[in-house]
Amino acid sequence: MRIEQESDGVSASTKHLVFAYYVTGHGFGHATRVTEVVRHLIHAGHDVHVVTGAPDFVFTTEIQSPRLFIRKVLLDCGAVQADALTVDRLASLAKYSETAVKPRAQILAQESEWLNSIKADLVVSDVVPVACRAAADAGIRSVCVTNFSWDFIYAEYVMAAGLNHRSIVWEIAEDYSHCEFLIRLPGYCPMPAFRDIFDVPLVVRRLHKSAKEVRKELGVTDDVKLVILNFGGQPSGLKLKEEFLPPGWLCLVCGASKSDDLPPKFIKLAQDAYTPDIIAASDCMLGKIGYGTVSEALAYKCPFVFVRRDYFNEEPFLRNMLEHYQCGVEMIRRDLLTGHWRPYLERALSLKPSYEGGINGGEVAARILQETALGKNYASDKLSGARRLRDAIVLGYQLQRASGRDITIPEWYTTAEDQLGPSTPASPVHDGSLALSLDFGNFDILHGDVQGLPDTKAFLHSLSELEENHKRRERKAAASLFNWQEDIFVTRAPGRLDVMGGIADYSGSLVLQMPIKEACHVALQRIHPSKHRLWKHAEARQNDKGGNPTAVLQIVSFGSELSNRGPTFDMDLSDFMEEGKPITYEKAKKYFAQDPSQKWAAYVAGAILVLMTELGVRFEDSISMLVSSAVPEGKGVSSSASVEVASMSAIAAAHGLNISPRELAILCQKVENHIVGAPCGVMDQMASACGEANKLLAMVCQPAEIIGLVDIPSQIRFWGIDSGIRHSVGGADYGSVRIGTFMGMKMIKAKASEELSNSCAANGLNYDEVEQDDLELLKQEASLDYLCNLPPHRFEALYSKSLPQSIVGETFLEQHENHNDAVTIIDHKRTYVVKAPTTHPIYENFRVKTFKALLSSASSTYQLASLGELLYQCHYSYSACGLGSDGTDRLVHLVQELQHSAESKSEGGTLYGAKITGGGSGGTVCVIGRNCLKSSEHIFEVQQRYKKATGYMPFIFEGSSPGAGKFGYLKIHRRTAPKKADSHGGK
């Protein structure tokens, strides 16, 4: 329901009311909007007790009244920021736990008692979770006023934390469920924990002075351009320099400390400066997105040059609102830090902000609060039972679920999908059957063959349809990416389904991988710098350096708006060089990590540095790349490997580099391990580069020995079913399991060395008196290079009982010095599971070898049942390592139910086994079954049952396609368009 009544203010009540207004400790934006609502409540004759950690001046500057009471208590820490733009996810969860979880019982008792002591008529929260529960305990109604909720924000942080702190999200949602309804502000995020919602206009602080008065007080004439540097009242942390500003500009700095010495052209604003007046008097604002800055920029039509924050889910929704009303210009964080501000400020001046909506949300919200406190019932009957968040989907990704919560996903998921696009990163391919009818657009293929692949045909067609007037930013950027008079190279690399092997790859296991139908396409153009079409900010940067054309890399990533990553990336290729040599991988990792919204570019641009470092390639031409992937992210089907392999293949093709698919895969693994910083094995890249359609790539990962392609028997079929739970090999769970595995191997080698020494020294024995074969085995095990080379029987006989279930990092390092894994780092304070992660790859290698042998055995029900049993054993071994998830367990259980159903038995068997895949902790389940129609029907039944139980409709992966090596590359050239007749019919 939307409420936008205009009035002269909140009418005075005949009854004096007392409000308790709780304010989150996250930033000043919440406190400033609370001030506007409180001002109207006090004007109507009520008392308001504000519970906050914000400074008094935020409230008293605007409200001077004896009816305002400020109580300094912090019950909600918000997001912990390492700096003005960087959120520390794990620290945020840890601090919330310290602030609101551990002292919870004490807080509830204290707040309930206080609320009753002040005789509160209504509790208002922006948006402190525990306040809603405390109000319920005190028998007082409560209402929330906000544009986001902490369950939504923390949901992403929980993904990074793994199993730790998962209960926080559910507890917050439970607290919010005690709130009677939500007063929702524009630019809102999905907030499924609230049962009733009422929309109001923007809550914006009123102006006290005109722009002319403000400029006069500042001593700024009309011919000077003003930019206000505003990071939500926090210090920006920037090392400001005079040359950051174009001629004729001044910068007003918010949040600067008294000790800061600012350079010329920068003016320090007082801590209690009234920013709405200054924003309205400025030509533009520069800073980070938050509700306060966005609402005041829109209300007072001040163009906003913004820099993305990482890990704050509120931001995409506010950003979309800014851009919708032509009020926002995105600045690359690298340009903010280096002072390359001019092109962005100049672009801001050309905007025509168009927001004409209401800005009286404070008044409307206050009126609703007053009426609620007087007894009016705003809650609707139809939703009154939906009091708890049970399943949550965050921008299309399902969270790991708490046990026992089995109702449907909240309705907002559909809304979020409508607003942000489909939940799976979209390729230009709309539908396979449609794509078959497409030609190659207006391109001639000079080299290569599309091999009848519908997604490749559709990708070429989409290239030909790029238009610079496209509304979506990524399409608009792509349209200006290429010089259409020059050749373009196109490559394709598929994702993969992990049939067997999974996380045992980094332990040297045999693995079996099937390339899937979904793939990543890359279009690349190599062009002389003098002919390169540069984006405006890149051109301005080059002009600032003297104007001589130099090699630049420009990348556009389709599907970026479905997440919070920037759709474009650019850099001078000279940034990869230092003193005539390529920079180190560690420096490159830091280079890409400085702007998390563009960290995705490391997967693409990192290939260039790896080629420079490993093969000595030098890049003198500019490079333009378009990346379009239909491999869904976070689902355990190697979306990152497909991007890396397609990117490096395109770079190699355009530069005439003859790199074998195997070597290319190994180079791509270096990109992910050393530049991206994800500790993956090599099987993903090998499957994407070397796989073939409808075959399993068999590889021993020591480090990457392909032993052949295994035909999938005609009677057997594999499917992948997505659990909807986001997975990342860069996440904490995968990395900790890998560390535990290497710890276990180090302990085994130490034990073998000890046994070897004892065997030779005990009772004066010498080598001749000891079984030589036993000594040889111990020698091999003392110098074990890959854990999978240890047979299961030797592991059980000598080592299994000596391994601890877990160990603290510090204790392990004291005993063993290191774990000999170059791509992971042991945290001294963290406890690592050891025995299960060590056991898994030893047995998994045996299972994979057995699986491979069974595939070539005679076709029978026994064959299928045995193959399925091996998948089940692998699945439960993952769980023992801590890499399971509720969603994948549910899918495996559903497969088991159908496998043992009477209907399956009457058909002679349909589905036979299932397992979690890849890095685990969610992602996709691999299913094996008989290749028949009834099996496909049962797969769809699993899909429907899962949706009924969780509300999430799983994506089904079926079908296969060639790897990048088999596809090769296309070299295409745009046809010259025929001249059109003029409007008078002439030629």
Side-chain angles (χ1 to χ4, degrees), residues 252-439:
L252 308 174
V253 182
C254 292
S257 67
K258 294 180 180 178
S259 60
D260 284 350
D261 291 325
L262 300 184
K265 299 169 66 173
F266 289 84
I267 301 172
K268 189 186 303 183
L269 292 173
Q271 284 290 112
D272 59 352
Y274 192 65
T275 51
D277 287 346
I278 300 169
I279 290 171
S282 298
D283 293 282
C284 67
M285 178 161 51
L286 171 59
K288 68 179 181 183
I289 286 180
Y291 179 85
T293 51
V294 168
S295 61
E296 287 166 2
L298 289 171
Y300 303 123
K301 295 184 169 49
C302 179
F304 192 174
V305 179
F306 63 86
V307 181
R308 293 191 192 212
R309 281 184 292 176
D310 54 311
Y311 310 127
F312 203 69
N313 289 338
E314 174 193 23
E315 185 171 283
F317 300 88
L318 293 172
R319 186 178 71 243
N320 288 346
M321 186 166 67
L322 264 183
E323 293 175 344
H324 177 76
Y325 292 111
Q326 302 175 57
C327 196
V329 175
E330 181 176 348
M331 175 185 273
I332 298 170
R333 187 182 298 196
R334 189 170 69 250
D335 286 339
L336 172 75
L337 300 175
T338 59
H340 185 60
W341 295 5
R342 179 172 57 84
Y344 303 98
L345 299 179
E346 291 175 351
R347 169 63 180 147
L349 293 183
S350 69
L351 294 182
K352 294 180 172 56
S354 60
Y355 182 77
E356 298 295 343
I359 59 173
N360 65 328
E363 171 197 333
V364 176
R367 185 162 60 250
I368 296 172
L369 295 175
Q370 176 179 277
E371 291 170 352
T372 303
L374 288 170
K376 183 173 180 178
N377 182 19
Y378 272 95
S380 61
D381 293 335
K382 66 174 183 177
L383 294 176
S384 59
R387 295 185 58 88
R388 287 174 173 81
L389 173 69
R390 307 239 178 145
D391 288 288
I393 290 198
V394 179
L395 295 175
Y397 298 124
Q398 187 184 22
L399 286 176
Q400 301 208 18
R401 294 157 22 78
S403 58
R405 302 174 184 276
D406 286 323
I407 64 167
T408 61
I409 284 161
E411 294 176 357
W412 64 258
Y413 172 65
T414 306
T415 307
E417 189 170 77
D418 291 343
Q419 291 173 346
L420 296 180
S423 59
T424 299
S427 159
V429 183
H430 298 290
D431 179 86
S433 58
L434 170 66
L436 286 170
S437 65
L438 300 174
D439 60 13

Side-chain angles (χ1 to χ4, degrees), residues 89-90 156-163 311 400 599 603 634 672 676-680 726-739 823-824 830 832 882-883 919-921:
R89 293 172 291 174
L90 300 185
E156 183 181 10
Y157 304 176
V158 170
M159 293 176 192
L163 300 177
Y311 310 127
Q400 301 208 18
K599 189 177 178 180
Y603 294 95
E672 186 142 2
V676 175
C680 70
R726 186 172 175 84
H727 147 81
S728 169
V729 296
D733 282 346
Y734 176 91
S736 65
V737 169
R738 175 169 175 149
I739 288 171
V823 298
T824 57
R830 183 164 186 174
Y832 294 93
L883 291 174
S921 297

Side-chain angles (χ1 to χ4, degrees), residues 582-597:
I583 62 174
T584 65
Y585 290 150
E586 186 60 32
K587 284 188 176 179
K589 183 179 174 181
K590 291 178 181 177
Y591 178 91
F592 289 107
Q594 67 183 337
D595 187 350
S597 72

